[in-house]
Amino acid sequence: MASTILKTNFNNSMQFIEGWYWALPSKKLKLGKVKPVTLLGRNLAIYRGFSGEVKAVDAYCPHMGAHLAEGKVEGNDIRCFFHNWKYDESGNCVEIPSLEKPLPVYIKTWETAEKYGMIWVWVGEEKANVLPFVPELEQVECNYMLGTKFIKNCHPNVLLINAIDAHHFNTVHNLPLEIIFDSQSLNNNAITFSNTTRGGNDSWFIRLVRPLYKEQVTYSMCYWYGSTGTVTLGPDFLHFYIIFSLRMIEGGKTEGQTILVTPKRQGILGCLINPILLWLTQRVGNYFAKGDTQVFETIEFNFQNPTKADQSILQFIHHVNQQKSLNWGTWEAVDDINNKNVKPQLKKNLLAYKQHEFNI
């Protein structure tokens, strides 16, 4: 069958999904400080006001284009270094030293949030949706630790499908059981894939660890905005949680940050156990990432002739292509006309896959 990948959102270096994207670790932005951040082709100045809240604004002063990260924070406002124009937390110019009254100009502001030790920026004009979270831990207070920061020579979408590439668990990681995923939409911007199979009875290792699992081996992946994935895995009595937060950089490559999460445990015992659990979580994540590293340095992604084991990948591609997309750099909405012609072809490809599946 011909390639199922069309130039809509998936693996597209010129556009991306509207949503929440990580900007920088919270600990790197001290009170009253400002940092320059380039996010999805757009330059921002991100600062922490003296109230403790984080503000994100377009980087360049509308007077002469000086970068506001060269300026200074005053209260919850930011003042440009070059001519000392000051902008409040809503982006309005509130003071120009050479004038009695400021001009009616403003800088664009972007909604921010802090979670899991990261500063996130909502990229888009629509009202901000929910921040990414681990479904099992939605209402649970958590401890967290920032893990590995990395750059990969492929698009974030391509990197993320690795977690639901069922067959590669056998070929790369030598997992002695078949993985079959069941997908479920969490909301319009999030989709989960959960393992539904038990299997592996021919493996002495699986028979050894079987008592630790009530039913199937616990492994699930939740994707948010096509860019952040939360992994849940482990035996019934102890689940490990890893967040892979990705953002596209120049050339359609990936800059990523892993975040290790565990439910907060009370008392002295919790203070002793949780750092160990977070350390173990990092080891688990490193184990699964190790075997795939070289693939994403050399891959020229061209998905053709899908098999039955690729069903989850096709479902993820379809999910990504249904999201509202923005243009790289400008953050303007992609013209809906561009997508009208490809959606019927996408449906045709998915139908062809379903027909193909029955013949496998």
Side-chain angles (χ1 to χ4, degrees):
M1 192 172 73
S3 173
T4 60
I5 305 304
L6 299 170
K7 272 296 180 182
T8 51
N9 295 332
F10 188 87
N11 195 29
N12 190 337
S13 62
M14 298 306 296
Q15 62 193 57
F16 57 91
I17 293 174
E18 178 183 73
W20 286 103
Y21 291 86
W22 71 277
L24 72 161
S26 293
K27 64 183 180 181
K28 290 193 175 182
L29 188 64
K30 305 298 183 183
L31 199 70
K33 298 299 181 181
V34 57
K35 295 278 187 180
V37 173
T38 299
L39 183 63
L40 298 164
R42 193 181 187 109
N43 292 320
L44 306 176
I46 299 182
Y47 68 96
R48 191 182 297 279
F50 283 88
S51 68
E53 292 187 16
V54 174
K55 309 295 178 182
V57 300
D58 278 351
Y60 302 109
C61 178
H63 180 212
M64 287 192 183
H67 201 299
L68 291 171
E70 299 290 336
K72 62 180 179 179
V73 178
E74 297 183 358
N76 293 319
D77 305 335
I78 188 165
R79 188 183 292 277
C80 179
F81 166 78
F82 202 16
H83 296 95
N84 285 350
W85 289 26
K86 185 165 78 169
Y87 302 89
D88 67 15
E89 55 191 309
S90 297
N92 299 304
C93 183
V94 294
E95 184 182 333
I96 299 176
S98 61
L99 300 177
E100 291 184 3
K101 293 183 179 181
L103 297 175
V105 297
Y106 70 96
I107 48 176
K108 177 67 178 176
T109 63
W110 303 94
E111 187 168 345
T112 66
E114 292 189 78
K115 189 174 184 178
Y116 301 127
M118 296 293 289
I119 294 169
W120 305 75
V121 176
W122 173 260
V123 178
E125 296 294 343
E126 298 293 331
K127 182 180 178 182
N129 207 329
V130 63
L131 274 162
F133 61 83
V134 180
E136 269 190 21
L137 304 178
E138 181 178 4
Q139 303 297 331
V140 179
E141 189 176 0
C142 295
N143 290 134
Y144 51 81
M145 182 176 78
L146 297 185
T148 306
K149 186 178 178 182
F150 56 87
I151 292 178
K152 298 294 183 183
N153 193 34
C154 66
H155 193 280
N157 295 158
V158 175
L159 191 60
L160 282 175
I161 63 170
N162 188 58
I164 53 170
D165 182 355
H167 191 52
H168 104 284
F169 287 105
N170 308 126
T171 57
V172 175
H173 301 295
N174 299 314
L175 195 65
L177 74 162
E178 182 183 20
I179 295 290
I180 298 175
F181 289 108
D182 177 52
S183 66
Q184 183 177 8
S185 292
L186 195 62
N187 56 48
N188 291 335
N189 302 115
I191 186 171
T192 62
F193 292 88
S194 300
N195 173 48
T196 62
T197 53
R198 191 172 175 88
N201 294 325
D202 295 334
S203 167
W204 66 267
F205 175 74
I206 295 298
R207 292 197 300 271
L208 179 66
V209 301
R210 181 67 69 200
L212 303 178
Y213 299 89
K214 184 182 297 184
E215 296 178 2
Q216 68 271 7
V217 174
T218 301
Y219 176 83
S220 66
M221 183 78 174
C222 182
Y223 291 109
W224 292 88
Y225 308 104
S227 62
T228 294
T230 68
V231 178
T232 301
L233 73 161
D236 295 333
F237 68 91
L238 180 63
H239 286 174
F240 297 98
Y241 307 97
I242 307 170
I243 301 175
F244 293 95
S245 184
L246 313 180
R247 61 188 184 192
M248 183 167 63
I249 56 176
E250 196 72 37
K253 298 180 181 181
T254 297
E255 184 174 15
Q257 173 71 62
T258 60
I259 307 171
L260 318 167
V261 183
T262 193
K264 189 172 184 177
R265 295 166 176 85
Q266 300 299 323
I268 297 177
L269 190 61
C271 293
L272 295 174
I273 291 177
N274 273 19
I276 296 173
L277 289 177
L278 291 172
W279 180 85
L280 286 173
T281 303
Q282 187 169 32
R283 303 283 81 74
V284 171
N286 290 345
Y287 169 77
F288 281 102
K290 185 177 180 180
D292 305 325
T293 300
Q294 71 271 20
V295 173
F296 298 109
E297 292 304 314
T298 58
I299 192 170
E300 292 288 340
F301 190 79
N302 186 19
F303 184 32
Q304 302 185 72
N305 303 307
T307 68
K308 184 177 180 179
D310 298 323
Q311 181 179 3
S312 56
I313 296 174
L314 282 168
Q315 290 171 328
F316 176 62
I317 293 170
H318 180 70
H319 169 76
V320 168
N321 284 337
Q322 297 305 303
Q323 307 303 301
K324 180 180 178 181
S325 54
L326 307 176
N327 283 304
W328 171 266
T330 67
W331 293 9
E332 295 175 347
V334 174
D335 189 350
D336 290 338
I337 295 176
N338 293 338
N339 290 325
K340 285 181 180 178
N341 294 328
V342 300
K343 286 184 178 179
Q345 182 60 42
L346 178 63
K347 292 179 180 178
K348 183 178 179 181
N349 281 342
L350 290 171
L351 177 61
Y353 164 72
K354 291 178 180 178
Q355 294 172 341
H356 174 69
E357 177 183 359
F358 291 111
N359 296 322
I360 295 175

Coordinates of all heavy atoms in Angstrom, one line a residue, residues 140-179:
V140 N -3.9 13.5 42.0 CA -2.9 13.1 43.0 C -1.8 14.1 43.1 O -1.2 14.6 42.0 CB -2.3 11.7 42.6 CG1 -1.3 11.3 43.7 CG2 -3.5 10.7 42.6
E141 N -1.4 14.5 44.3 CA -0.3 15.4 44.5 C 1.0 14.5 44.2 O 1.1 13.4 44.8 CB -0.3 16.0 45.9 CG 0.8 17.0 46.1 CD 0.7 17.7 47.4 OE1 -0.1 17.3 48.2 OE2 1.6 18.6 47.7
C142 N 2.0 15.1 43.5 CA 3.1 14.3 43.1 C 4.4 15.0 43.4 O 4.5 16.2 43.6 CB 3.1 14.1 41.6 SG 1.7 13.1 41.0
N143 N 5.5 14.1 43.5 CA 6.8 14.5 43.5 C 7.4 14.3 42.1 O 6.9 13.5 41.4 CB 7.7 13.8 44.5 CG 7.3 14.1 46.0 OD1 7.2 13.2 46.8 ND2 7.2 15.4 46.3
Y144 N 8.4 15.1 41.7 CA 8.9 15.0 40.4 C 10.4 15.3 40.4 O 10.9 15.9 41.3 CB 8.2 15.9 39.4 CG 8.1 17.3 40.0 CD1 9.2 18.2 39.8 CD2 7.0 17.8 40.6 CE1 9.1 19.5 40.3 CE2 6.9 19.1 41.1 CZ 8.0 19.9 41.0 OH 7.9 21.2 41.5
M145 N 11.0 14.9 39.3 CA 12.4 15.2 39.1 C 12.7 15.3 37.6 O 12.2 14.5 36.8 CB 13.3 14.0 39.7 CG 14.8 14.3 39.5 SD 15.8 13.0 40.4 CE 15.6 11.7 39.1
L146 N 13.4 16.3 37.2 CA 13.8 16.5 35.8 C 14.8 15.5 35.4 O 15.8 15.3 36.1 CB 14.2 17.9 35.5 CG 13.2 19.0 35.7 CD1 13.8 20.3 35.2 CD2 11.9 18.7 35.0
G147 N 14.6 14.7 34.3 CA 15.5 13.7 33.9 C 16.4 14.3 32.8 O 16.9 15.4 32.8
T148 N 16.5 13.5 31.7 CA 17.5 13.8 30.6 C 16.9 14.8 29.7 O 15.7 14.8 29.3 CB 17.8 12.5 29.8 OG1 18.3 11.5 30.7 CG2 18.8 12.8 28.8
K149 N 17.7 15.8 29.3 CA 17.4 16.7 28.2 C 18.1 16.2 27.0 O 19.3 15.8 27.1 CB 17.8 18.1 28.6 CG 17.3 19.2 27.6 CD 17.7 20.6 28.0 CE 17.3 21.6 27.0 NZ 17.8 23.0 27.4
F150 N 17.5 16.3 25.8 CA 18.1 15.7 24.6 C 17.6 16.3 23.4 O 16.6 17.1 23.3 CB 17.7 14.2 24.6 CG 16.2 13.9 24.6 CD1 15.5 13.9 23.4 CD2 15.6 13.6 25.8 CE1 14.1 13.6 23.5 CE2 14.2 13.4 25.8 CZ 13.5 13.4 24.7
I151 N 18.4 16.1 22.3 CA 18.0 16.5 21.0 C 18.1 15.3 20.0 O 19.0 14.5 20.1 CB 18.9 17.6 20.5 CG1 18.7 18.9 21.3 CG2 18.7 17.9 19.0 CD1 19.6 20.1 20.9
K152 N 17.0 15.1 19.2 CA 17.0 14.0 18.3 C 16.8 14.5 16.9 O 16.2 15.6 16.6 CB 15.8 13.1 18.6 CG 15.9 12.4 20.0 CD 17.1 11.5 20.1 CE 17.1 10.8 21.5 NZ 18.2 9.9 21.6
N153 N 17.4 13.8 15.9 CA 17.5 14.2 14.5 C 16.2 13.8 13.8 O 16.3 13.2 12.7 CB 18.7 13.6 13.9 CG 19.0 14.3 12.5 OD1 18.8 15.4 12.4 ND2 19.5 13.5 11.6
C154 N 15.0 14.0 14.4 CA 13.8 13.6 13.7 C 12.7 14.5 14.4 O 12.9 15.1 15.4 CB 13.5 12.1 13.8 SG 13.1 11.6 15.5
H155 N 11.5 14.4 13.7 CA 10.4 15.2 14.2 C 9.8 14.6 15.5 O 9.8 13.4 15.7 CB 9.3 15.2 13.1 CG 8.2 16.2 13.3 ND1 7.1 15.9 14.1 CD2 7.9 17.4 12.7 CE1 6.3 17.0 14.1 NE2 6.8 17.9 13.2
P156 N 9.2 15.5 16.4 CA 8.7 15.0 17.6 C 7.6 13.9 17.4 O 7.5 12.9 18.2 CB 8.0 16.2 18.3 CG 8.9 17.3 17.8 CD 9.3 17.0 16.4
N157 N 6.8 14.0 16.4 CA 5.8 13.0 16.1 C 6.4 11.6 15.9 O 5.9 10.6 16.3 CB 4.9 13.4 14.9 CG 4.1 14.6 15.1 OD1 3.7 15.3 14.1 ND2 3.8 15.0 16.3
V158 N 7.5 11.6 15.1 CA 8.1 10.4 14.8 C 8.7 9.7 16.1 O 8.7 8.5 16.3 CB 9.2 10.6 13.7 CG1 10.0 9.3 13.5 CG2 8.6 11.1 12.4
L159 N 9.3 10.6 16.9 CA 9.9 10.1 18.2 C 8.8 9.5 19.1 O 9.0 8.5 19.7 CB 10.6 11.2 18.9 CG 11.5 10.9 20.0 CD1 12.6 9.9 19.6 CD2 12.1 12.1 20.7
L160 N 7.6 10.2 19.1 CA 6.6 9.7 20.0 C 5.9 8.4 19.6 O 5.5 7.6 20.5 CB 5.5 10.8 20.1 CG 5.8 12.0 21.0 CD1 4.7 13.1 20.9 CD2 6.0 11.6 22.5
I161 N 5.9 8.1 18.3 CA 5.2 6.9 17.9 C 6.0 5.7 18.4 O 5.5 4.5 18.4 CB 4.9 6.8 16.4 CG1 6.2 6.8 15.6 CG2 4.0 7.9 16.0 CD1 6.0 6.5 14.1
N162 N 7.3 5.9 18.7 CA 8.1 4.8 19.2 C 7.5 4.1 20.4 O 7.6 2.8 20.5 CB 9.5 5.3 19.5 CG 10.5 4.2 19.8 OD1 10.7 3.3 19.0 ND2 11.0 4.2 21.0
A163 N 6.8 4.8 21.2 CA 6.2 4.3 22.4 C 5.0 3.4 22.2 O 4.6 2.6 23.0 CB 5.8 5.4 23.4
I164 N 4.4 3.5 21.0 CA 3.3 2.6 20.6 C 3.6 1.8 19.4 O 2.7 1.3 18.7 CB 2.0 3.5 20.4 CG1 2.2 4.6 19.4 CG2 1.5 4.0 21.7 CD1 1.0 5.3 19.0
D165 N 4.8 1.7 19.0 CA 5.3 0.8 17.9 C 5.3 -0.6 18.5 O 6.4 -1.1 19.0 CB 6.6 1.3 17.4 CG 7.1 0.4 16.2 OD1 6.5 -0.6 15.9 OD2 8.2 0.8 15.7
A166 N 4.2 -1.3 18.4 CA 4.1 -2.6 19.2 C 5.2 -3.6 18.8 O 5.7 -4.3 19.7 CB 2.7 -3.2 18.9
H167 N 5.5 -3.7 17.5 CA 6.4 -4.8 17.1 C 7.8 -4.5 17.5 O 8.6 -5.5 17.8 CB 6.3 -5.0 15.6 CG 7.0 -6.2 15.1 ND1 6.8 -7.4 15.6 CD2 8.0 -6.3 14.1 CE1 7.5 -8.3 15.0 NE2 8.2 -7.7 14.1
H168 N 8.2 -3.3 17.7 CA 9.6 -3.0 18.0 C 9.9 -3.4 19.5 O 11.1 -3.6 19.8 CB 9.9 -1.5 17.8 CG 10.0 -0.7 19.0 ND1 8.9 -0.3 19.7 CD2 11.1 -0.2 19.7 CE1 9.3 0.5 20.8 NE2 10.6 0.5 20.8
F169 N 8.9 -3.6 20.3 CA 9.2 -4.1 21.6 C 9.7 -5.5 21.6 O 10.5 -6.0 22.4 CB 7.9 -4.1 22.5 CG 7.4 -2.8 22.9 CD1 6.4 -2.1 22.3 CD2 8.1 -2.1 23.9 CE1 6.0 -0.9 22.7 CE2 7.7 -0.8 24.3 CZ 6.6 -0.2 23.7
N170 N 9.4 -6.3 20.5 CA 9.9 -7.6 20.3 C 11.3 -7.6 19.6 O 12.3 -8.2 20.0 CB 9.0 -8.5 19.5 CG 7.6 -8.5 20.1 OD1 6.6 -8.2 19.4 ND2 7.4 -8.8 21.3
T171 N 11.4 -6.7 18.6 CA 12.6 -6.8 17.8 C 13.8 -6.0 18.4 O 14.9 -6.4 18.3 CB 12.3 -6.1 16.4 OG1 11.8 -4.8 16.6 CG2 11.3 -7.0 15.6
V172 N 13.5 -4.9 19.1 CA 14.6 -4.1 19.7 C 14.8 -4.4 21.1 O 15.9 -4.6 21.6 CB 14.2 -2.6 19.5 CG1 15.3 -1.7 20.3 CG2 14.2 -2.2 18.1
H173 N 13.7 -4.6 21.9 CA 13.8 -4.8 23.4 C 13.6 -6.2 23.8 O 13.7 -6.5 25.0 CB 12.8 -3.9 24.1 CG 12.9 -2.4 23.8 ND1 14.0 -1.7 24.1 CD2 12.1 -1.6 23.1 CE1 13.8 -0.4 23.7 NE2 12.7 -0.3 23.1
N174 N 13.4 -7.1 22.8 CA 13.3 -8.5 23.1 C 12.3 -8.9 24.1 O 12.5 -9.8 25.0 CB 14.7 -9.1 23.6 CG 15.8 -8.9 22.5 OD1 15.6 -9.2 21.4 ND2 16.9 -8.4 22.9
L175 N 11.2 -8.1 24.2 CA 10.1 -8.4 25.1 C 9.4 -9.7 24.6 O 8.9 -9.7 23.4 CB 9.1 -7.3 25.1 CG 8.1 -7.2 26.3 CD1 8.8 -7.1 27.6 CD2 7.1 -6.1 26.1
P176 N 9.3 -10.7 25.4 CA 8.8 -12.0 24.9 C 7.3 -12.1 25.0 O 6.7 -13.2 25.4 CB 9.5 -13.0 25.9 CG 9.6 -12.2 27.2 CD 9.8 -10.8 26.8
L177 N 6.5 -11.1 24.6 CA 5.1 -11.2 24.5 C 4.6 -10.2 23.4 O 5.2 -9.2 23.2 CB 4.4 -11.0 25.8 CG 4.3 -9.6 26.4 CD1 3.2 -9.5 27.4 CD2 5.6 -9.1 26.9
E178 N 3.4 -10.5 22.9 CA 2.8 -9.6 21.9 C 2.2 -8.5 22.6 O 1.5 -8.7 23.6 CB 1.8 -10.4 21.1 CG 1.2 -9.6 20.0 CD 0.1 -10.3 19.2 OE1 -0.4 -11.3 19.7 OE2 -0.2 -9.9 18.1
I179 N 2.4 -7.3 22.0 CA 1.7 -6.1 22.6 C 0.6 -5.7 21.7 O 0.8 -5.5 20.5 CB 2.7 -4.9 22.8 CG1 3.8 -5.3 23.8 CG2 2.0 -3.6 23.2 CD1 3.3 -5.3 25.2

